[in-house]
Amino acid sequence: MSIVPMIFTSGWASGINAYAVVLLLGLFGRFGGADSVPPALERTDVLVAAGVLFLFEAVADKIPYVDSAWDAVHTVIRPVAGATVGALMAGHADGSLGEVAAGAVGGTTALLSHLTKASLRMAVNTSPEPASNIVVSTAEDLSVAGIVTLAVFHPVAAASIAGALLLAGLLLVWFAVSRIRRFLERRRERRALRAAAAGAAQPAAGRR
């Protein structure tokens, strides 16, 4: 069976939460008997590191603006993780896909899903309350867990869902761009108003 659907799905999921992908795949490989999981992901040190980093992300990803800073830091990390997992899977499989090509598939898919997530989070951060961040982050975590689990047992079905979600996310980004632009414009206007108010206050203070 071709490993491509599994690589595509893990790449999509890595762009959203790379640590969850490594942790889940490692656990499935080590305790669930998943033959498609490379032994490198089943190592104890890898599982512990992925688990700790997943906990950090679970907190940071639910705090407004902290989540966007976290996403910025992971612009490189998530695609690299997607490429690495893809290459490991290809090397562990029957050789139907070269490791370089698998890394390209996983890394490119991870980059697209990461950029989609980061863009949508910027739009969510324009909301004045933190509940929306918590809801969106939790939905992302559950989606990653569900689709990675499905991919272990039904990789083609999981890849189809991941592809549909990626397309839907890109369409949402298209609509969210205008909202982000309006938010940035309002912020610039507020800064201009504060600067104008401060400039008007200085002469008044001098006349006293």
Side-chain angles (χ1 to χ4, degrees):
M1 181 182 65
S2 174
I3 197 68
V4 175
M6 187 72 173
I7 293 172
F8 177 83
T9 303
S10 64
W12 171 84
S14 294
I16 297 174
N17 192 327
Y19 306 124
V21 173
V22 174
L23 179 61
L24 286 169
L25 289 177
L27 290 174
F28 275 119
R30 185 163 180 172
F31 302 108
D35 297 332
S36 58
V37 177
L41 300 181
E42 302 174 14
R43 291 168 38 185
T44 300
D45 57 337
V46 172
L47 291 175
V48 170
V52 171
L53 290 170
F54 169 74
L55 291 177
F56 276 111
E57 175 145 344
V59 175
D61 202 47
K62 294 175 177 59
I63 304 173
Y65 298 104
V66 174
D67 60 346
S68 291
W70 185 268
D71 285 339
V73 172
H74 284 74
T75 300
V76 175
I77 296 174
R78 287 171 182 159
V80 169
T84 302
V85 171
L88 288 172
M89 286 183 175
H92 179 63
D94 56 8
S96 60
L97 182 67
E99 293 183 23
V100 174
V105 171
T108 301
T109 308
L111 178 60
L112 287 174
S113 63
H114 164 74
L115 293 176
T116 301
K117 170 185 175 171
S119 299
L120 292 175
R121 281 308 188 85
M122 287 179 65
V124 171
N125 280 337
T126 62
S127 175
E129 39 73 34
S132 55
N133 293 75
I134 297 173
V135 171
V136 171
S137 177
T138 302
E140 289 172 350
D141 293 341
L142 292 175
S143 297
V144 167
I147 291 180
V148 169
T149 301
L150 181 63
V152 171
F153 302 101
H154 303 285
V156 175
S160 300
I161 296 173
L165 289 174
L166 180 59
L167 179 59
L170 291 172
L171 291 174
L172 283 174
V173 169
W174 177 266
F175 290 110
V177 166
S178 60
R179 182 174 180 179
I180 295 171
R181 187 180 296 114
R182 287 196 300 270
F183 168 73
L184 294 175
E185 289 174 353
R186 287 197 301 269
R187 188 168 65 176
R188 283 195 295 268
E189 289 172 358
R190 286 196 296 267
R191 287 178 178 174
L193 289 173
R194 285 197 296 267
Q202 288 178 354
R207 287 195 296 270
R208 295 175 187 174

